Amino acid sequence: MGYTSNHTERREEICALFTASFTESEGIGEGKLIGHLVADIFDTVAEEDLFAVSALDQGAVVASILFTRMGYEEEGRSVFLLSPVAVATEHQGKGIGQALLRHGLNSLKEGGVDVVLTYGDINFYSKVGFAQISESEAAAPMPLSYPHGWLGQSLSAATLEPLRGPSTCVPAFRNPDLW
Ligand SMILES: CC(C)(COP(=O)(O)OP(=O)(O)OC[C@H]1O[C@@H](n2cnc3c(N)ncnc32)[C@H](O)[C@@H]1OP(=O)(O)O)[C@@H](O)C(=O)NCCC(=O)NCCS
């Protein structure tokens, strides 16, 4: 399994992967929602605020994860949001998702990112270092319909100290249907 962070040349392949994987697991509406989200992120987020990494099998993208910068008004630490995450349906359950996440988190750490937050199932994300956090530890950028899914980890310290101030996400995520 190889990895690439080249999302410019792989744009259509990555968008198609997210649409197909979420359509299979959660239905056509969710597939479209996440496919459009990823296209919107690629179209609107500045290079320095986006990190996308994909796993390759025989030259084809089989899994992708995106990280986009968050802003915490009173914070000196750099914070990224991990979302979305998808593994091609036929490749799920083989450890590819966890391996890709470890690779991506390691690259962010080497790039000086201090904290990564995400919103999802703790049963999966706890395998790669995430823990549940409260909104007093890190304000969410949008109202959360499932607060138990708000997760975080520090890449630079043993424990995640609370993040100060209200938060912002990139405009592509300012859609209540995603939260
Ligand atoms: C969720 C997903 C990214 C996991 O990737 P994967 O490569 O299949 O997962 P791995 O093989 O690395 O890890 C499997 C482990 O995670 C758990 N897991 C996998 N998918 C899970 C899910 N949707 N919810 C909770 N746990 C999950 C499994 O129980 C398994 O645990 P085990 O190793 O103790 O048996 C992948 O299944 C996927 O793309 N699903 C559809 C899209 C999606 O739901 N994305 C995440 C949104 S938050």
Side-chain angles (χ1 to χ4, degrees):
M1 187 75 45
Y3 299 104
T4 180
S5 52
N6 182 340
H7 59 86
T8 310
E9 284 170 21
R10 299 277 185 174
R11 185 186 192 283
E12 297 314 316
E13 219 182 335
I14 295 170
C15 291
L17 166 80
F18 276 104
T19 303
S21 175
F22 276 89
T23 299
E24 282 280 340
S25 66
E26 293 179 46
I28 289 174
E30 192 72 8
K32 275 191 186 156
L33 178 71
I34 304 301
H36 287 149
L37 166 69
V38 173
D40 196 12
I41 290 172
F42 287 153
D43 288 344
T44 60
V45 180
E47 271 305 305
E48 65 271 22
D49 296 335
L50 168 64
F51 183 69
V53 56
S54 299
L56 301 172
D57 183 34
Q58 299 182 351
V61 170
V62 293
S64 288
I65 54 179
L66 270 61
F67 300 89
T68 49
R69 191 181 300 278
M70 291 186 67
Y72 277 83
E73 264 177 28
E74 299 151 31
E75 258 313 317
R77 287 172 289 176
S78 93
V79 183
F80 272 71
L81 177 70
L82 163 65
S83 180
V85 172
V87 176
T89 309
E90 63 276 24
H91 288 277
Q92 289 175 11
K94 298 193 276 187
I96 293 173
Q98 290 175 65
L100 176 61
L101 280 163
R102 287 201 186 91
H103 179 83
L105 291 165
N106 209 35
S107 300
L108 253 63
K109 185 177 176 174
E110 284 170 5
V113 174
D114 298 297
V115 176
V116 179
L117 304 178
T118 194
Y119 186 50
D121 191 329
I122 185 63
N123 294 318
F124 176 63
Y125 289 104
S126 62
K127 294 174 190 294
V128 292
F130 286 94
Q132 284 177 318
I133 53 171
S134 68
E135 290 181 69
S136 57
E137 290 171 285
M142 297 281 288
L144 301 178
S145 58
Y146 177 63
H148 286 100
W150 191 226
L151 315 174
Q153 72 172 288
S154 170
L155 300 181
S156 60
T159 54
L160 175 55
E161 298 298 327
L163 293 164
R164 290 179 294 269
S167 67
T168 53
C169 54
V170 297
F173 279 103
R174 290 181 203 152
N175 173 356
D177 293 346
L178 296 167
W179 300 89

